[in-house]
Structures are given as C-alpha cells and as structure tokens.
Amino acid sequence: MSIIGKEISKTRKLKGLTQEELAELSKVNLRTIQRIENNESEPRGKTLKLICEVLDIDVEDLINSNKQIEGDFNNNLVHGYKLASKGKRFLGSLLETIIYSITIYLPYTFYKTSSLNGFVNGEHPIGFGFAAIFGLIIGAIFYPMFSGNLGHRIIGLKVISSETGDDYQKATEGAIRELLKGVFSFFLIPIIWVLWDDKNQNLYDKLSKTYVVEKMI
C-alpha cells in the first residue's frame, strides 16, 4: 500500500494544477503522472524528485511517511489475510454471547433455579464445567461449517492456523479452541490479553496457534 500517488494527486489539486500542467512543469511524461496518481506505478529517483520540486513536497518526508504506512499495513496481514481488528472481535463475541444467553444460558439457569427470585439473584450461575463442555460442543459443531464460531460467522471472520494459514475447520480443533476460550473467560484473560497483542490474539489463540482474520470477498 503506497500513499505517494495519493499525496501527489492531493497536493497537485491544492495548488490548482492539472495533470497536464504538472507534467509540463516537471518534465515528466503525462502518462507517467497518470499512472502514479492511480497507484499503477510508484515514482522513484529522478522522477519523484522532479515532481516533488514542482509541488514543494519534501522527498524524504514523503518516503518516510510511505514506509510507515506500508509497515502498519503489512503488520495487519497474515498468510494473505487481514487480521480481524480488536473491535470486530469484540463485536463478534458480544453478538455470540447475546444469542447464547437468550437461547441457552438463561433458559438453563432458570431451569436450575427453584424460584423466580432465586433466578433474578443469580443463585445458580453458569458453572466452570458447563462452560467447558459447552465450548467443546460448540466448537465441534460450528468450526467444520464456518471455520470459526457463530460470532465469527455473523461478522464475516474466520479462524486460521497461525503456522500454515489453513482454515481451522476440524471438529477437534474447534472443540479445543472453544474449550480454552470458555475456561479462560472465567478469569477475563482473553479480554485483557488481546488489548496489548500486536496480532490481536487472545491467550487461547496463542495456545491453539490460531489467528482470527477477515474472510476474503
């Protein structure tokens, strides 16, 4: 991803120059200017210097800014996929939790509670064992279908192997990953860990060697 063409186009327009005028003033071929602004090619050496002189752009600043943008962009790519952002991962988990709460957690807790008052006061919250078993079942069911859980499916994400980039879609793989997720969620480790991880991985991603990425359209 290069910002050089975009910056040249923006600065040219701010100075009120047409592409033809920039080509004439910089002694650079018009077709070259057009290709640069359309990000079909990237100017280097003498060509970049001539254009920047006309537009009063500092060449070194432009190159350094471009390198930083390229570095940030590449850091978000793994095995040709774009890493899912922290925000998207949170939204997927939130939607998944809401669905499971309505269809499973709340009915289960209400069934286990002897009275409405006890249900409201949370006398029988979801236990550690239930979360582990539920994670195993959910992982085994959804991963072969979606390469991820229900939240991933809704948001347009999937899980891949961090080592090979292959879709994470075996029932056993999904079961283990979702089991780890259910267990660690009791300690809030997933929420805390992902905030500072440069690959947006939770602790259970590290242990299962997985990335959550955006699906290719």
Side-chain angles (χ1 to χ4, degrees):
M1 172 179 282
S2 174
I3 64 165
I4 291 178
K6 181 178 180 180
E7 287 299 313
I8 287 174
S9 176
K10 182 177 72 174
T11 305
R12 173 183 63 76
K13 291 174 183 177
L14 286 174
K15 289 184 173 294
L17 297 174
T18 64
Q19 289 181 331
E20 290 79 5
E21 290 170 333
L22 176 58
E24 183 178 350
L25 291 171
S26 63
K27 303 297 188 284
V28 174
N29 184 272
L30 173 60
R31 179 56 185 152
T32 300
I33 297 290
Q34 293 171 337
R35 288 177 60 83
I36 290 171
E37 292 194 2
N38 290 331
N39 278 323
E40 296 174 9
S41 66
E42 187 172 316
R44 300 182 185 277
K46 184 180 179 181
T47 300
L48 180 60
K49 184 178 179 181
L50 289 170
I51 293 173
C52 286
E53 284 178 351
V54 173
L55 299 176
D56 293 324
I57 297 175
D58 188 285
V59 177
E60 292 301 320
D61 286 347
L62 182 59
I63 292 175
N64 289 335
S65 296
N66 188 60
K67 285 181 178 178
Q68 183 176 352
I69 294 295
E70 286 182 336
D72 292 341
F73 180 76
N74 290 331
N75 283 338
N76 286 324
L77 290 180
V78 289
H79 299 292
Y81 292 99
K82 182 180 178 182
L83 283 169
S85 67
K86 295 176 176 65
K88 284 190 175 182
R89 294 202 61 175
F90 173 76
L91 181 59
S93 295
L94 178 62
L95 292 174
E96 183 183 41
T97 300
I98 291 172
I99 292 171
Y100 291 153
S101 294
I102 294 173
T103 60
I104 297 172
Y105 296 152
L106 293 180
Y108 172 83
T109 305
F110 184 75
Y111 174 77
K112 288 290 185 177
T113 305
S114 58
S115 67
L116 179 60
N117 185 56
F119 174 77
V120 173
N121 293 327
E123 291 180 1
H124 294 277
I126 297 296
F128 190 86
F130 178 90
I133 295 173
F134 183 74
L136 280 170
I137 296 172
I138 290 299
I141 293 174
F142 286 120
Y143 277 68
M145 293 189 293
F146 305 142
S147 295
N149 57 40
L150 186 58
H152 297 143
R153 171 69 174 182
I154 295 171
I155 301 299
L157 307 176
K158 70 175 181 177
V159 180
I160 64 171
S161 166
S162 62
E163 295 181 321
T164 65
D166 294 335
D167 287 1
Y168 214 66
Q169 55 184 180
K170 292 181 180 179
T172 52
E173 294 174 339
I176 293 172
R177 186 177 184 277
E178 290 299 307
L179 180 147
L180 292 172
K181 176 183 175 181
V183 169
F184 288 142
S185 293
F186 273 85
F187 308 103
L188 297 180
I189 294 175
I191 297 174
I192 297 172
W193 191 286
V194 73
L195 294 176
W196 291 279
D197 192 271
D198 60 349
K199 295 296 184 181
N200 296 342
Q201 288 177 294
N202 284 312
L203 181 55
Y204 54 83
D205 289 313
K206 298 284 188 181
L207 294 176
S208 59
K209 297 180 180 179
T210 57
Y211 290 129
V212 178
V213 299
E214 297 187 6
K215 288 185 176 181
M216 291 183 174
I217 301 175

